[in-house]
């Protein structure tokens, strides 16, 4: 067997595999001999079928199968030995006049080669790294929410100012059917809140969505519409009242503090706000990190210039799925996936150059930490190492879970690296301001 490569250009190559009879004949004979041992053909005892008949019936199929196996193994070994970094899989070149009735064969494969490029994490950019703070307004609202949550709930017949209403927003044409609890002060316009006054269970209130809330994004929470649909949404929705409640707020006293945080851990409203602030800002930090990661990703895709073997990849996309795609469909798929492929290549280079590969010990430790946190949420504060190790082993036996957890670890490694090396402007914002910045408003 002889394998040669012709580099068409920096991103494309043709690999030629020449197979001689000596390469496959022995294995073909062995397989046919096994067929003969087990063949059951009328008129012949089992194992006594003439080899000529076996070859006539099975010879061509066995030849094709064994040559194909030989090709795949040889080509894979060649790619490893030559250390070729390819995109997609080798594509066999179709030869219309290919003749299987000869002894020697020649096969050609197209390769798409990964480009050579550099990633500059220190390049000038316009990225902002946000720190989200829980401001006084948010803390006061959270304290009031706690008072209502732990207060005494009183059911009512008619809606009055300050009441809470449970019901369902609906609009059949838009597929909206969302059951929620609302306080009347959630509405931006006082006229919308007044529509509820005097209403009873079973009554329906018609509301316009345009300017319904002080932030259009609240339509996502209350009406369950997608982000892409909230801006400028101007339809009428019905709110069917199902419950009317008012609450007698819980007193901000030691009994409530102990119920929330354990006996004696918090002794004042200011300490309550401090706990809320700490918890909220931990959650905000994860959201800020995700935006930072997204922004750096977009910047690297835009600033890291390299060509791809586009035509090869479009041909490969046509063949890679369960059902073959037309050239037009492959073109569309390539356009959708090009930036994702570019970032995969960029990320791979960053991982190698900064030695960010995830070890199995890191994966085990990360999984164990997650499990301990989950167990703590259910009151199991001090699980034994044996219990945790057993759960870790079960989790890591699932390849989908291994993939998901590995991606989480790598995402955090990338964030940490980018914080260290990417020069970004720091900005402290409230959560509401962060949402506006995040959605470009």
């Amino acid at each position: 067997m002889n394998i040669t490569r012709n580099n068409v250009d920096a991103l494309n190559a043709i690999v030629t595999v020449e197979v001689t009879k000596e390469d496959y004949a022995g294995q073909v004979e062995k397989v046919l001999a096994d067929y003969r041992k087990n063949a059951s053909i009328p008129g012949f005892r089992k194992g006594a079928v003439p080899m000529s008949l076996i070859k006539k019936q099975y010879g061509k199929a066995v030849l094709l199968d064994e040559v194909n196996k030989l090709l795949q193994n040889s080509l894979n070994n060649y790619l490893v030995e030559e250390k070729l970094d390819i995109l997609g899989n080798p594509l066999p070149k179709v030869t219309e006049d290919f003749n299987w009735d000869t002894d020697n064969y020649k096969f050609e494969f197209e390769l798409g080669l990964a480009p050579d490029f550099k990633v500059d994490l220190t390049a000038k950019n316009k990225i902002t790294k946000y720190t989200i703070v829980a401001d006084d307004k948010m803390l006061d609202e959270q304290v009031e929410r706690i008072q209502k949550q732990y207060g005494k709930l009183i059911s009512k017949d008619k809606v009055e100012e300050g009441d809470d209403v449970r019901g369902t927003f609906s609009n059949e044409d838009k597929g909206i059917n969302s059951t929620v609890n609302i306080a009347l002060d959630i509405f931006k316009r006082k006229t919308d809140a007044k529509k509820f006054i005097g209403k009873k269970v079973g009554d329906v209130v018609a509301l316009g969505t345009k300017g319904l809330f002080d932030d259009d994004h609240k339509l996502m929470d209350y009406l369950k519409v997608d982000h892409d649909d909230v801006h400028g949404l101007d339809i009428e929705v019905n709110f069917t009242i199902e419950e009317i409640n008012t609450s007698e707020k819980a007193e901000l006293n030691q009994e409530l503090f102990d119920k929330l945080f354990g006996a004696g851990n918090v002794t004042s409203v200011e300490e309550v706000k401090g706990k809320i602030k700490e918890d909220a800002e931990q959650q905000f930090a994860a959201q800020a990190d995700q935006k930072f990661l997204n922004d750096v990703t977009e910047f690297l895709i835009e600033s890291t210039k390299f060509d791809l073997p586009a035509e090869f990849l479009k041909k490969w996309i046509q063949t890679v799925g369960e059902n073959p795609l037309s050239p037009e469909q492959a073109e569309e798929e390539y356009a959708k996936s090009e930036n994702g492929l570019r970032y995969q290549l960029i990320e791979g280079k960053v991982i190698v150059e900064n030695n960010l590969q995830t070890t199995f010990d890191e994966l085990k430790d990360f999984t164990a930490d997650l499990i301990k946190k989950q167990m703590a949420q259910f009151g199991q504060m001090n699980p034994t190492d044996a219990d945790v190790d057993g759960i870790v082993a079960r989790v890591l036996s699932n390849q989908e879970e291994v993939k998901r957890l590995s991606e989480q670890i790598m995402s955090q490694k990338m964030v940490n690296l980018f914080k260290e090396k990417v020069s970004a402007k720091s900005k402290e914002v409230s959560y509401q301001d962060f949402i506006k910045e995040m959605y470009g408003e």
Side-chain angles (χ1 to χ4, degrees), residues 384-415:
T384 66
D385 289 343
D387 287 340
V388 173
D389 289 345
I391 299 172
V392 168
R394 287 197 297 274
V395 170
L396 297 186
S397 67
N398 183 324
Q399 289 305 306
E400 286 298 316
E401 282 296 295
V402 170
K403 182 175 181 291
R404 184 181 66 83
L405 294 166
S406 297
E407 287 173 351
Q408 288 184 29
I409 295 171
M410 186 52 65
S411 178
Q412 191 57 57
K413 285 188 174 189
M414 296 297 280
V415 167

mmCIF file of all heavy atoms in Angstrom, residues 384-415:
data_model
loop_
_atom_site.group_PDB
_atom_site.id
_atom_site.type_symbol
_atom_site.label_atom_id
_atom_site.label_comp_id
_atom_site.label_asym_id
_atom_site.label_seq_id
_atom_site.Cartn_x
_atom_site.Cartn_y
_atom_site.Cartn_z
ATOM 1 N N THR A 384 -20.503 11.799 54.008
ATOM 2 C CA THR A 384 -19.211 11.116 54.090
ATOM 3 C C THR A 384 -18.541 11.134 52.718
ATOM 4 O O THR A 384 -19.196 11.246 51.681
ATOM 5 C CB THR A 384 -19.387 9.653 54.539
ATOM 6 O OG1 THR A 384 -20.094 8.940 53.518
ATOM 7 C CG2 THR A 384 -20.150 9.585 55.851
ATOM 8 N N ASP A 385 -17.213 11.000 52.730
ATOM 9 C CA ASP A 385 -16.467 10.950 51.463
ATOM 10 C C ASP A 385 -16.926 9.768 50.621
ATOM 11 O O ASP A 385 -17.013 9.865 49.396
ATOM 12 C CB ASP A 385 -14.961 10.826 51.746
ATOM 13 C CG ASP A 385 -14.370 12.103 52.314
ATOM 14 O OD1 ASP A 385 -15.032 13.162 52.191
ATOM 15 O OD2 ASP A 385 -13.261 12.052 52.882
ATOM 16 N N ALA A 386 -17.251 8.661 51.273
ATOM 17 C CA ALA A 386 -17.682 7.461 50.551
ATOM 18 C C ALA A 386 -19.001 7.717 49.824
ATOM 19 O O ALA A 386 -19.181 7.293 48.675
ATOM 20 C CB ALA A 386 -17.831 6.289 51.513
ATOM 21 N N ASP A 387 -19.928 8.421 50.489
ATOM 22 C CA ASP A 387 -21.216 8.734 49.856
ATOM 23 C C ASP A 387 -21.011 9.620 48.630
ATOM 24 O O ASP A 387 -21.585 9.385 47.566
ATOM 25 C CB ASP A 387 -22.150 9.426 50.842
ATOM 26 C CG ASP A 387 -22.700 8.475 51.903
ATOM 27 O OD1 ASP A 387 -22.668 7.247 51.649
ATOM 28 O OD2 ASP A 387 -23.143 8.946 52.962
ATOM 29 N N VAL A 388 -20.199 10.657 48.806
ATOM 30 C CA VAL A 388 -19.956 11.598 47.703
ATOM 31 C C VAL A 388 -19.240 10.893 46.553
ATOM 32 O O VAL A 388 -19.604 11.054 45.383
ATOM 33 C CB VAL A 388 -19.137 12.813 48.188
ATOM 34 C CG1 VAL A 388 -18.746 13.702 46.999
ATOM 35 C CG2 VAL A 388 -19.922 13.612 49.215
ATOM 36 N N ASP A 389 -18.230 10.093 46.886
ATOM 37 C CA ASP A 389 -17.470 9.381 45.843
ATOM 38 C C ASP A 389 -18.368 8.440 45.049
ATOM 39 O O ASP A 389 -18.209 8.290 43.832
ATOM 40 C CB ASP A 389 -16.315 8.589 46.466
ATOM 41 C CG ASP A 389 -15.206 9.488 46.984
ATOM 42 O OD1 ASP A 389 -15.190 10.677 46.603
ATOM 43 O OD2 ASP A 389 -14.367 9.010 47.772
ATOM 44 N N GLY A 390 -19.314 7.811 45.730
ATOM 45 C CA GLY A 390 -20.237 6.904 45.043
ATOM 46 C C GLY A 390 -21.113 7.643 44.044
ATOM 47 O O GLY A 390 -21.334 7.173 42.914
ATOM 48 N N ILE A 391 -21.606 8.802 44.455
ATOM 49 C CA ILE A 391 -22.452 9.603 43.555
ATOM 50 C C ILE A 391 -21.621 10.123 42.386
ATOM 51 O O ILE A 391 -22.065 10.119 41.234
ATOM 52 C CB ILE A 391 -23.114 10.764 44.322
ATOM 53 C CG1 ILE A 391 -24.011 10.222 45.434
ATOM 54 C CG2 ILE A 391 -23.922 11.636 43.366
ATOM 55 C CD1 ILE A 391 -24.564 11.287 46.358
ATOM 56 N N VAL A 392 -20.390 10.572 42.665
ATOM 57 C CA VAL A 392 -19.497 11.062 41.612
ATOM 58 C C VAL A 392 -19.269 9.972 40.565
ATOM 59 O O VAL A 392 -19.325 10.222 39.351
ATOM 60 C CB VAL A 392 -18.147 11.528 42.192
ATOM 61 C CG1 VAL A 392 -17.127 11.765 41.082
ATOM 62 C CG2 VAL A 392 -18.330 12.801 43.004
ATOM 63 N N ALA A 393 -19.020 8.755 41.027
ATOM 64 C CA ALA A 393 -18.771 7.635 40.110
ATOM 65 C C ALA A 393 -19.979 7.387 39.210
ATOM 66 O O ALA A 393 -19.828 7.136 38.007
ATOM 67 C CB ALA A 393 -18.421 6.374 40.896
ATOM 68 N N ARG A 394 -21.182 7.478 39.790
ATOM 69 C CA ARG A 394 -22.393 7.254 38.984
ATOM 70 C C ARG A 394 -22.590 8.370 37.961
ATOM 71 O O ARG A 394 -22.932 8.112 36.806
ATOM 72 C CB ARG A 394 -23.630 7.147 39.891
ATOM 73 C CG ARG A 394 -23.705 5.845 40.678
ATOM 74 C CD ARG A 394 -25.096 5.604 41.226
ATOM 75 N NE ARG A 394 -25.510 6.622 42.181
ATOM 76 C CZ ARG A 394 -25.228 6.590 43.478
ATOM 77 N NH1 ARG A 394 -24.508 5.596 43.973
ATOM 78 N NH2 ARG A 394 -25.657 7.548 44.273
ATOM 79 N N VAL A 395 -22.363 9.596 38.389
ATOM 80 C CA VAL A 395 -22.525 10.743 37.480
ATOM 81 C C VAL A 395 -21.545 10.648 36.315
ATOM 82 O O VAL A 395 -21.905 10.829 35.149
ATOM 83 C CB VAL A 395 -22.320 12.079 38.230
ATOM 84 C CG1 VAL A 395 -22.245 13.249 37.250
ATOM 85 C CG2 VAL A 395 -23.453 12.303 39.224
ATOM 86 N N LEU A 396 -20.280 10.336 36.637
ATOM 87 C CA LEU A 396 -19.240 10.325 35.599
ATOM 88 C C LEU A 396 -19.280 9.077 34.728
ATOM 89 O O LEU A 396 -18.512 8.971 33.762
ATOM 90 C CB LEU A 396 -17.858 10.485 36.241
ATOM 91 C CG LEU A 396 -17.626 11.814 36.978
ATOM 92 C CD1 LEU A 396 -16.189 11.917 37.452
ATOM 93 C CD2 LEU A 396 -17.979 13.008 36.093
ATOM 94 N N SER A 397 -20.176 8.144 35.034
ATOM 95 C CA SER A 397 -20.357 6.994 34.148
ATOM 96 C C SER A 397 -21.272 7.348 32.977
ATOM 97 O O SER A 397 -21.392 6.592 32.015
ATOM 98 C CB SER A 397 -20.948 5.810 34.916
ATOM 99 O OG SER A 397 -22.273 6.095 35.338
ATOM 100 N N ASN A 398 -21.904 8.523 33.072
ATOM 101 C CA ASN A 398 -22.787 9.017 32.006
ATOM 102 C C ASN A 398 -21.998 9.985 31.130
ATOM 103 O O ASN A 398 -21.600 11.065 31.571
ATOM 104 C CB ASN A 398 -23.998 9.721 32.630
ATOM 105 C CG ASN A 398 -24.995 10.191 31.597
ATOM 106 O OD1 ASN A 398 -24.636 10.616 30.512
ATOM 107 N ND2 ASN A 398 -26.269 10.120 31.949
ATOM 108 N N GLN A 399 -21.767 9.603 29.875
ATOM 109 C CA GLN A 399 -20.932 10.421 28.991
ATOM 110 C C GLN A 399 -21.531 11.794 28.715
ATOM 111 O O GLN A 399 -20.799 12.775 28.542
ATOM 112 C CB GLN A 399 -20.696 9.675 27.664
ATOM 113 C CG GLN A 399 -19.764 8.478 27.801
ATOM 114 C CD GLN A 399 -18.426 8.870 28.423
ATOM 115 O OE1 GLN A 399 -17.738 9.772 27.954
ATOM 116 N NE2 GLN A 399 -18.057 8.189 29.505
ATOM 117 N N GLU A 400 -22.868 11.877 28.686
ATOM 118 C CA GLU A 400 -23.502 13.184 28.477
ATOM 119 C C GLU A 400 -23.208 14.114 29.655
ATOM 120 O O GLU A 400 -22.973 15.309 29.474
ATOM 121 C CB GLU A 400 -25.019 13.013 28.308
ATOM 122 C CG GLU A 400 -25.427 12.432 26.968
ATOM 123 C CD GLU A 400 -25.028 13.339 25.805
ATOM 124 O OE1 GLU A 400 -25.222 14.561 25.909
ATOM 125 O OE2 GLU A 400 -24.504 12.817 24.801
ATOM 126 N N GLU A 401 -23.246 13.553 30.863
ATOM 127 C CA GLU A 401 -22.939 14.360 32.053
ATOM 128 C C GLU A 401 -21.472 14.780 32.056
ATOM 129 O O GLU A 401 -21.139 15.911 32.420
ATOM 130 C CB GLU A 401 -23.256 13.568 33.329
ATOM 131 C CG GLU A 401 -24.732 13.524 33.665
ATOM 132 C CD GLU A 401 -25.267 14.922 33.974
ATOM 133 O OE1 GLU A 401 -24.851 15.527 34.971
ATOM 134 O OE2 GLU A 401 -26.093 15.418 33.188
ATOM 135 N N VAL A 402 -20.588 13.874 31.664
ATOM 136 C CA VAL A 402 -19.156 14.199 31.588
ATOM 137 C C VAL A 402 -18.938 15.367 30.624
ATOM 138 O O VAL A 402 -18.200 16.313 30.921
ATOM 139 C CB VAL A 402 -18.337 12.975 31.138
ATOM 140 C CG1 VAL A 402 -16.897 13.374 30.820
ATOM 141 C CG2 VAL A 402 -18.354 11.903 32.217
ATOM 142 N N LYS A 403 -19.599 15.309 29.484
ATOM 143 C CA LYS A 403 -19.478 16.385 28.485
ATOM 144 C C LYS A 403 -19.986 17.710 29.050
ATOM 145 O O LYS A 403 -19.339 18.749 28.927
ATOM 146 C CB LYS A 403 -20.259 16.007 27.229
ATOM 147 C CG LYS A 403 -20.175 17.019 26.089
ATOM 148 C CD LYS A 403 -20.889 16.472 24.856
ATOM 149 C CE LYS A 403 -20.798 17.437 23.685
ATOM 150 N NZ LYS A 403 -21.578 18.661 23.897
ATOM 151 N N ARG A 404 -21.152 17.661 29.694
ATOM 152 C CA ARG A 404 -21.749 18.887 30.239
ATOM 153 C C ARG A 404 -20.877 19.501 31.332
ATOM 154 O O ARG A 404 -20.623 20.714 31.335
ATOM 155 C CB ARG A 404 -23.142 18.564 30.799
ATOM 156 C CG ARG A 404 -23.912 19.767 31.301
ATOM 157 C CD ARG A 404 -25.263 19.352 31.859
ATOM 158 N NE ARG A 404 -25.139 18.549 33.058
ATOM 159 C CZ ARG A 404 -24.975 19.058 34.280
ATOM 160 N NH1 ARG A 404 -24.897 20.368 34.459
ATOM 161 N NH2 ARG A 404 -24.890 18.261 35.328
ATOM 162 N N LEU A 405 -20.402 18.672 32.251
ATOM 163 C CA LEU A 405 -19.568 19.170 33.346
ATOM 164 C C LEU A 405 -18.219 19.673 32.835
ATOM 165 O O LEU A 405 -17.698 20.687 33.319
ATOM 166 C CB LEU A 405 -19.365 18.067 34.390
ATOM 167 C CG LEU A 405 -20.634 17.641 35.142
ATOM 168 C CD1 LEU A 405 -20.398 16.342 35.888
ATOM 169 C CD2 LEU A 405 -21.086 18.735 36.102
ATOM 170 N N SER A 406 -17.655 18.995 31.850
ATOM 171 C CA SER A 406 -16.380 19.419 31.270
ATOM 172 C C SER A 406 -16.526 20.783 30.614
ATOM 173 O O SER A 406 -15.623 21.631 30.713
ATOM 174 C CB SER A 406 -15.888 18.394 30.243
ATOM 175 O OG SER A 406 -15.637 17.147 30.855
ATOM 176 N N GLU A 407 -17.657 21.008 29.966
ATOM 177 C CA GLU A 407 -17.906 22.304 29.334
ATOM 178 C C GLU A 407 -18.027 23.405 30.386
ATOM 179 O O GLU A 407 -17.549 24.530 30.168
ATOM 180 C CB GLU A 407 -19.172 22.235 28.480
ATOM 181 C CG GLU A 407 -18.988 21.434 27.195
ATOM 182 C CD GLU A 407 -20.288 21.218 26.440
ATOM 183 O OE1 GLU A 407 -21.363 21.553 27.001
ATOM 184 O OE2 GLU A 407 -20.235 20.719 25.306
ATOM 185 N N GLN A 408 -18.641 23.091 31.519
ATOM 186 C CA GLN A 408 -18.747 24.085 32.595
ATOM 187 C C GLN A 408 -17.366 24.449 33.133
ATOM 188 O O GLN A 408 -17.071 25.628 33.369
ATOM 189 C CB GLN A 408 -19.618 23.538 33.728
ATOM 190 C CG GLN A 408 -21.088 23.458 33.395
ATOM 191 C CD GLN A 408 -21.912 22.990 34.587
ATOM 192 O OE1 GLN A 408 -21.553 23.212 35.742
ATOM 193 N NE2 GLN A 408 -23.021 22.332 34.314
ATOM 194 N N ILE A 409 -16.520 23.434 33.332
ATOM 195 C CA ILE A 409 -15.169 23.686 33.837
ATOM 196 C C ILE A 409 -14.390 24.543 32.849
ATOM 197 O O ILE A 409 -13.737 25.523 33.226
ATOM 198 C CB ILE A 409 -14.427 22.359 34.086
ATOM 199 C CG1 ILE A 409 -15.104 21.563 35.199
ATOM 200 C CG2 ILE A 409 -12.958 22.616 34.442
ATOM 201 C CD1 ILE A 409 -14.569 20.152 35.359
ATOM 202 N N MET A 410 -14.469 24.185 31.566
ATOM 203 C CA MET A 410 -13.718 24.918 30.555
ATOM 204 C C MET A 410 -14.224 26.352 30.429
ATOM 205 O O MET A 410 -13.434 27.282 30.248
ATOM 206 C CB MET A 410 -13.805 24.205 29.206
ATOM 207 C CG MET A 410 -12.924 24.832 28.121
ATOM 208 S SD MET A 410 -11.189 25.037 28.667
ATOM 209 C CE MET A 410 -10.710 23.313 28.879
ATOM 210 N N SER A 411 -15.529 26.535 30.534
ATOM 211 C CA SER A 411 -16.093 27.880 30.472
ATOM 212 C C SER A 411 -15.528 28.756 31.584
ATOM 213 O O SER A 411 -15.148 29.908 31.355
ATOM 214 C CB SER A 411 -17.620 27.807 30.584
ATOM 215 O OG SER A 411 -18.193 29.094 30.563
ATOM 216 N N GLN A 412 -15.438 28.204 32.809
ATOM 217 C CA GLN A 412 -14.880 28.976 33.919
ATOM 218 C C GLN A 412 -13.394 29.232 33.723
ATOM 219 O O GLN A 412 -12.893 30.334 34.038
ATOM 220 C CB GLN A 412 -15.120 28.236 35.236
ATOM 221 C CG GLN A 412 -14.810 29.076 36.475
ATOM 222 C CD GLN A 412 -15.594 30.378 36.510
ATOM 223 O OE1 GLN A 412 -16.822 30.371 36.462
ATOM 224 N NE2 GLN A 412 -14.886 31.501 36.561
ATOM 225 N N LYS A 413 -12.670 28.262 33.175
ATOM 226 C CA LYS A 413 -11.252 28.471 32.905
ATOM 227 C C LYS A 413 -11.048 29.586 31.886
ATOM 228 O O LYS A 413 -10.135 30.415 32.027
ATOM 229 C CB LYS A 413 -10.612 27.175 32.385
ATOM 230 C CG LYS A 413 -10.377 26.113 33.444
ATOM 231 C CD LYS A 413 -9.576 24.959 32.863
ATOM 232 C CE LYS A 413 -9.201 23.954 33.937
ATOM 233 N NZ LYS A 413 -8.257 22.942 33.462
ATOM 234 N N MET A 414 -11.888 29.603 30.865
ATOM 235 C CA MET A 414 -11.775 30.638 29.841
ATOM 236 C C MET A 414 -12.083 32.016 30.436
ATOM 237 O O MET A 414 -11.402 32.994 30.142
ATOM 238 C CB MET A 414 -12.716 30.334 28.677
ATOM 239 C CG MET A 414 -12.392 29.062 27.917
ATOM 240 S SD MET A 414 -10.780 29.081 27.085
ATOM 241 C CE MET A 414 -11.177 30.005 25.627
ATOM 242 N N VAL A 415 -13.125 32.097 31.271
ATOM 243 C CA VAL A 415 -13.461 33.370 31.918
ATOM 244 C C VAL A 415 -12.282 33.871 32.745
ATOM 245 O O VAL A 415 -11.900 35.045 32.674
ATOM 246 C CB VAL A 415 -14.718 33.226 32.807
ATOM 247 C CG1 VAL A 415 -14.869 34.455 33.713
ATOM 248 C CG2 VAL A 415 -15.956 33.051 31.958
#
